[in-house]
Amino acid sequence: MFSHPISIIFAYIKEFMETNAELELAWRCIERTGTHLFLTGKAGTGKTTFLKQLKERSPKRMVVLAATGIAAINAGGVTIHSFFQLPFAPYIPGTEFSSNKLFKFGKEKINIIRSLDLLVIDEISMVRADLLDLIDHILRRYRDKTKPFGGVQLLMIGDLQQLAPVVKDEERRLLEEYYDSVFFFDSKALQQTSYISIELKRVFRQSEAHFLHLLNQIRENTANNETLVALNQRYIPNFEAKEGEEYIRLTTHNAQAQEINDKYLAKIKAPSYSFRSTVTGNFPQSSYPADEILTLKEGSQIMFVKNDSSFDKQFYNGKIGRIIRMTEDEIEVQGQGDLSSFVLQKEVWTNSKYVLNKETKEISEEVEGTFEQYPVRLAWAITIHKSQGLTFERAIIDIGGSFAHGQTYVALSRCKTLDGIVLSSPITQKAIISNMQVTDFVKEAENLAPNESVMTELERAYYLQLLSEQFDFQPIRNTFARTIEQFEESAGKLYPHLFEQCKISFDVFSAKIISVSDNFKNVFTHLFKENSNYKENSTLQERISSGAAYFSDCLIEILLPLVSSLKVEIDNKEGQKRMNELIESLTTALRIKLSTLQHIPTDGFSVEAYQKAKSEASILQQEEHKETSKKKLFKEKSVVSDDIVHQELYEHLRAWRNAEATERLLPAYAILHQKALHGIANLLPSTSNDLLKIPHLGKKTVEKYGATILDIVEEFSPKR
């Protein structure tokens, strides 16, 4: 997480993007507002670069997701389905899946979801409307039920004129009853929100004006006969590349690409070598970024499928090259246009999950699995789908079998120049497939582009929203009220003095904090609306600072001592559990509010400081609760001396364990841990509860083997 003030970060980004007004506008939207953003643009306009800079520099707590494994790996994120633990079945708003295990996340995942500022979805063109609604459903469940997407800001990145969502026929028949289209923009949740659209217009990949004009006509479905004539000048029947001119063939179907690669590989009269990938941990096969078993020959045409991670930077994702020399242990390659060759090293891809970093209190990525392989694949041919996001110097394109929206545009836009394209068959109007719903939305999205006036108002609204949230004490009051109700029901008669103190504190809290905060909100809202330069208005900022000091002192005086003393023991198990949960919720809410109030600097309220303090306090409280639970569990375990007191019993237990392991074809430790044997032999338990107090002996083991273990101990009891 970048720790510099937002002004410094913004200055850096502004300098980085100073030649691109749209990129600067997108940065402002994400960092200074809470408005959802659809960031689009033609192929090669810098969408991926923007995302990388955002991940590196933004102070917001974010998660990056994508629809497919390959897209997620390329974006440095995870798939939507894996993050939210989703089934692949279609989702209909207002319904529930039959499995009651869905969306029941662990505390770690819940903490991440609740502390999110920004959810990034890359390659949004491939995300179905129902999937976006399912994300809305889950976020509402764990965050604010009254707000679309639970109040999380969305950044949706992609080009709708590129590849569309994959939908099976039976899924389409089901979804068309509820959705106007399968595209993300017809999501019910998204249609309930206000969002803006920014189109990146400067193309970095291609530089030829004539070629860009032709591509735009294909992209926007305005290609006429003149367009086709210009493109079909690159139709060269029976084309054979000259020596040293590596071309890659782009095909519409996998079978075509495989057939071409196999044919060319077979032509080479040299021994073949196969290299098996190394996979560790959790890395789904469907997300493998390179061949699981890579078979090559000297002279093979290859494409690099990853940027060079070494200092030398000798290749990049999509670059074409050739195998110069190889053995079973070494591959020497030369990139297209390079004067020298080099020995290729294996690269490692990671499959990551998001976790909360205990040291920085920020959301971070944790490697869940790795995939190691030489970063190349045979590249006489690949499919157009696999080419999305890549750039080529030269390509032979076969789009006669085009069958999907955006396929022709994606294929042509992979190349930097028109001269780098060779068509294996002429392009016809039939190959230019465009979806009218996409075309209509793209036109509508142009009206969602913000001007300076709109951006200024969005920034003002976001500032006031967070400022109002800062001085909103109603959530604490509601939790406090529920805690008192539960206290009265479960333990009011057991702790009459403490219960009476709770009621008195509640009345004082309502008078000194709730009533005052209502009036205070009216004051700062009035001052805010009267001043356009609200961040630097001394009267407003002084009021905010003095208000923060007042409410912080009141919380410390009224609520903090009470919360610290709320420790009650209840015979009713459910009542105790509910009481503990409410006390924890009240403690968390209080600590977060105090943290954010005390982080307000003397010169006023800061959006960045508020967001950071809120997130850090939330995670800190949850981690303290986790540590307390661990310590409590540890204290319940008995202490076992280092020496074995009852050696004969110990040997008998070990013999039983080894026999059980042999019968079940399991390692001995899977039946009973060695230290658990040690503890049993020393402490001589006589009940199941005694067993549970022995270190390294869990509930499931006691349920399974407890009776047998106690029988063995009982057999030796006369010898104690």
Side-chain angles (χ1 to χ4, degrees):
M1 179 60 61
F2 202 72
S3 59
H4 294 314
I6 190 69
S7 57
I8 296 178
I9 300 172
F10 187 74
Y12 174 88
I13 297 295
K14 186 173 182 180
E15 181 181 354
F16 177 77
M17 301 176 180
E18 62 183 358
T19 59
N20 195 315
E22 291 82 20
L23 282 174
E24 185 179 334
L25 194 62
W27 173 261
R28 281 182 64 187
C29 174
I30 296 302
E31 293 308 305
R32 296 182 175 181
T33 84
T35 303
H36 305 314
L37 170 62
F38 170 43
L39 183 66
T40 187
K42 307 175 183 71
T45 50
K47 299 185 293 294
T48 300
T49 301
F50 176 81
L51 175 56
K52 289 179 179 178
Q53 287 295 322
L54 191 69
K55 289 177 65 179
E56 291 176 5
R57 302 290 175 177
S58 173
K60 282 194 173 181
R61 298 163 61 82
M62 74 181 73
V63 164
V64 179
L65 306 178
T68 67
I70 297 300
I73 296 297
N74 288 340
V78 297
T79 66
I80 295 171
H81 285 82
S82 65
F83 181 78
F84 287 113
Q85 300 166 208
L86 302 179
F88 286 95
Y91 171 73
I92 304 301
T95 64
E96 296 286 348
F97 290 99
S98 58
S99 174
N100 58 10
K101 294 182 180 179
L102 293 173
F103 322 134
K104 291 187 177 179
F105 307 127
K107 280 193 174 182
E108 183 84 359
K109 181 64 65 67
I110 293 172
N111 290 345
I112 290 173
I113 292 173
R114 285 179 175 166
S115 61
L116 266 183
D117 297 316
L118 177 66
L119 179 63
V120 181
I121 304 179
D122 197 24
E123 298 291 0
I124 191 67
S125 69
M126 302 173 74
V127 175
R128 293 188 338 204
D130 63 310
L131 183 56
L132 204 56
D133 280 339
L134 185 51
I135 293 172
D136 166 71
H137 174 77
I138 296 170
L139 291 176
R140 284 178 189 257
R141 173 178 292 193
Y142 288 100
R143 294 174 58 94
D144 190 335
K145 295 180 180 179
T146 66
K147 296 179 181 178
F149 303 101
V152 176
Q153 184 182 25
L154 292 186
L155 169 57
M156 301 163 285
I157 303 176
D159 180 5
L160 278 166
Q161 301 295 6
Q162 297 192 37
L163 298 174
V166 176
V167 188
K168 297 176 182 177
D169 290 340
E170 61 270 21
E171 294 172 337
R172 190 180 299 277
R173 286 192 292 269
L174 177 62
L175 293 172
E176 66 187 6
E177 296 183 28
Y178 301 91
Y179 293 96
D180 293 334
S181 80
V182 297
F183 292 97
F184 83 95
F185 52 77
D186 276 323
S187 150
K188 306 295 184 186
L190 191 63
Q191 291 175 344
Q192 294 173 15
T193 71
S194 296
Y195 65 97
I196 63 177
S197 174
I198 296 176
E199 181 181 0
L200 304 180
K201 296 178 180 178
R202 180 185 175 188
V203 180
F204 296 95
R205 184 177 294 152
Q206 295 94 358
S207 57
E208 294 181 327
H210 176 57
F211 184 33
L212 282 174
H213 175 68
L214 297 176
L215 284 177
N216 286 341
Q217 289 184 312
I218 297 292
R219 181 177 184 268
E220 297 166 6
N221 198 27
T222 58
N224 51 30
N225 287 335
E226 185 178 341
T227 308
L228 297 181
V229 167
L231 288 171
N232 285 330
Q233 289 179 2
R234 300 304 304 157
Y235 168 52
I236 306 175
N238 304 315
F239 174 79
E240 292 292 336
K242 296 178 182 178
E243 185 69 28
E245 289 186 346
E246 287 85 2
Y247 280 78
I248 187 168
R249 291 176 181 266
L250 301 183
T251 68
T252 53
H253 293 78
N254 276 311
Q256 291 174 290
Q258 188 64 48
E259 182 181 351
I260 293 169
N261 284 328
D262 289 345
K263 182 178 71 174
Y264 275 86
L265 188 65
K267 287 182 179 179
I268 299 177
K269 305 301 181 183
S272 63
Y273 296 91
S274 294
F275 306 91
R276 180 175 288 276
S277 60
T278 301
V279 181
T280 65
N282 177 26
F283 206 118
Q285 190 171 10
S286 59
S287 296
Y288 285 178
D291 293 341
E292 182 177 9
I293 300 175
L294 177 65
T295 301
L296 302 169
K297 292 181 179 180
E298 190 173 298
S300 297
Q301 178 165 295
I302 47 114
M303 179 181 73
F304 297 93
V305 292
K306 194 177 191 295
N307 294 333
D308 186 358
S309 63
S310 73
F311 176 80
D312 297 325
K313 307 299 179 188
Q314 298 179 97
F315 57 87
Y316 55 84
N317 189 9
K319 183 174 183 177
I320 301 299
R322 190 170 295 278
I323 305 295
I324 302 301
R325 180 185 62 82
M326 68 184 307
T327 67
E328 60 182 15
D329 300 315
E330 193 172 85
I331 303 175
E332 185 177 342
V333 299
Q334 184 171 358
Q336 180 177 289
D338 294 344
L339 299 177
S340 60
S341 61
F342 60 93
V343 174
L344 187 64
Q345 303 297 321
K346 288 186 176 181
E347 289 277 345
V348 176
W349 291 259
T350 60
N351 179 40
S352 301
K353 67 176 181 179
Y354 287 95
V355 297
L356 294 167
N357 188 306
K358 292 184 178 181
E359 294 181 1
T360 65
K361 314 302 178 192
E362 302 293 351
I363 297 173
S364 60
E365 294 173 46
E366 183 177 277
V367 175
E368 204 169 32
T370 62
F371 178 96
E372 184 179 23
Q373 178 61 287
Y374 287 108
V376 296
R377 63 162 42 110
L378 290 176
W380 288 286
I382 64 170
T383 63
I384 295 169
H385 269 74
K386 285 189 172 67
S387 75
Q388 183 159 323
L390 302 179
T391 305
F392 307 120
E393 299 289 343
R394 302 182 182 90
I396 302 171
I397 300 175
D398 179 8
I399 46 180
S402 177
F403 61 88
H405 161 81
Q407 224 171 9
T408 297
Y409 171 67
V410 169
L412 294 174
S413 62
R414 297 310 91 197
C415 285
K416 293 181 177 180
T417 65
L418 183 60
D419 288 343
I421 292 175
V422 171
L423 298 176
S424 60
S425 60
I427 300 176
T428 65
Q429 283 288 354
K430 186 179 178 181
I432 306 172
I433 302 172
S434 181
N435 186 291
M436 289 307 298
Q437 290 163 311
V438 169
T439 302
D440 292 342
F441 172 76
V442 169
K443 291 179 180 178
E444 293 175 9
E446 293 175 0
N447 298 323
L448 299 175
N451 54 29
E452 183 60 34
S453 175
V454 169
M455 286 301 301
T456 299
E457 284 306 308
L458 289 175
E459 291 175 3
R460 280 181 61 86
Y462 190 55
Y463 187 94
L464 182 58
Q465 173 193 329
L466 295 189
L467 183 59
S468 300
E469 184 181 284
Q470 171 69 91
F471 292 102
D472 180 10
F473 298 91
Q474 197 62 43
I476 293 180
R477 182 188 182 280
N478 294 341
T479 305
F480 195 1
R482 291 197 302 272
T483 304
I484 293 175
E485 289 174 5
Q486 184 65 39
F487 195 168
E488 182 177 23
E489 178 183 335
S490 302
K493 293 181 180 179
L494 295 173
Y495 301 89
H497 178 73
L498 184 57
F499 176 60
E500 188 63 28
Q501 184 60 48
C502 284
K503 292 195 296 182
I504 293 171
S505 296
F506 183 81
D507 291 339
V508 175
F509 178 87
S510 298
K512 285 193 171 183
I513 295 181
I514 296 297
S515 297
V516 176
S517 65
D518 289 342
N519 293 328
F520 183 64
K521 182 176 180 180
N522 292 331
V523 171
F524 71 67
T525 300
H526 177 72
L527 288 171
F528 176 85
K529 291 180 178 179
E530 280 193 338
N531 292 278
S532 58
N533 193 11
Y534 51 92
K535 293 180 182 178
E536 298 179 10
N537 181 267
S538 58
T539 303
L540 172 61
Q541 297 303 336
E542 286 171 7
R543 287 293 182 91
I544 292 172
S545 295
S546 61
Y550 169 81
F551 289 114
S552 178
D553 290 343
C554 285
L555 288 173
I556 292 172
E557 176 190 350
I558 300 167
L559 210 51
L560 191 59
L562 180 67
V563 169
S564 301
S565 66
L566 276 179
K567 297 176 182 178
V568 297
E569 293 184 6
I570 306 170
D571 290 337
N572 182 282
K573 187 176 180 181
E574 286 302 315
Q576 183 75 68
K577 179 181 178 183
R578 179 63 179 152
M579 192 67 193
N580 291 344
E581 289 174 348
L582 284 168
I583 292 172
E584 182 185 350
S585 296
L586 183 59
T587 304
T588 299
L590 175 61
R591 287 200 175 186
I592 290 172
K593 188 63 73 174
L594 280 172
S595 177
T596 53
L597 287 169
Q598 292 167 353
H599 273 72
I600 292 179
T602 54
D603 58 349
F605 177 79
S606 162
V607 168
E608 181 201 27
Y610 172 72
Q611 288 179 323
K612 190 174 183 63
K614 181 181 176 182
S615 298
E616 288 182 350
S618 175
I619 302 309
L620 180 61
Q621 176 64 26
Q622 289 155 358
E623 287 184 354
E624 286 181 358
H625 172 73
K626 188 186 299 183
E627 289 301 315
T628 301
S629 299
K630 286 181 179 178
K631 288 178 182 178
K632 183 179 178 182
L633 180 63
F634 179 76
K635 286 179 180 178
E636 290 175 351
K637 293 290 186 180
S638 301
V639 177
V640 180
S641 65
D642 293 336
D643 297 327
I644 297 176
V645 178
H646 303 284
Q647 186 69 39
E648 187 178 356
L649 173 57
Y650 173 79
E651 295 296 341
H652 196 77
L653 285 166
R654 190 169 67 167
W656 162 79
R657 181 192 68 167
N658 293 343
E660 189 74 15
T662 301
E663 182 180 342
R664 294 179 178 274
L665 301 178
L666 292 171
Y669 66 80
I671 303 298
L672 205 63
H673 197 284
Q674 187 76 17
K675 291 184 178 180
L677 288 180
H678 187 161
I680 296 167
N682 280 18
L683 300 173
L684 304 177
S686 59
T687 67
S688 294
N689 285 336
D690 291 342
L691 286 172
L692 288 171
K693 292 179 182 179
I694 294 173
H696 303 283
L697 198 55
K699 186 177 179 181
K700 289 185 178 180
T701 303
V702 172
E703 288 174 354
K704 194 168 187 178
Y705 300 113
T708 302
I709 293 170
L710 291 174
D711 286 344
I712 295 172
V713 174
E714 180 63 27
E715 181 183 344
F716 279 79
S717 59
K719 303 176 184 180
R720 295 181 185 182

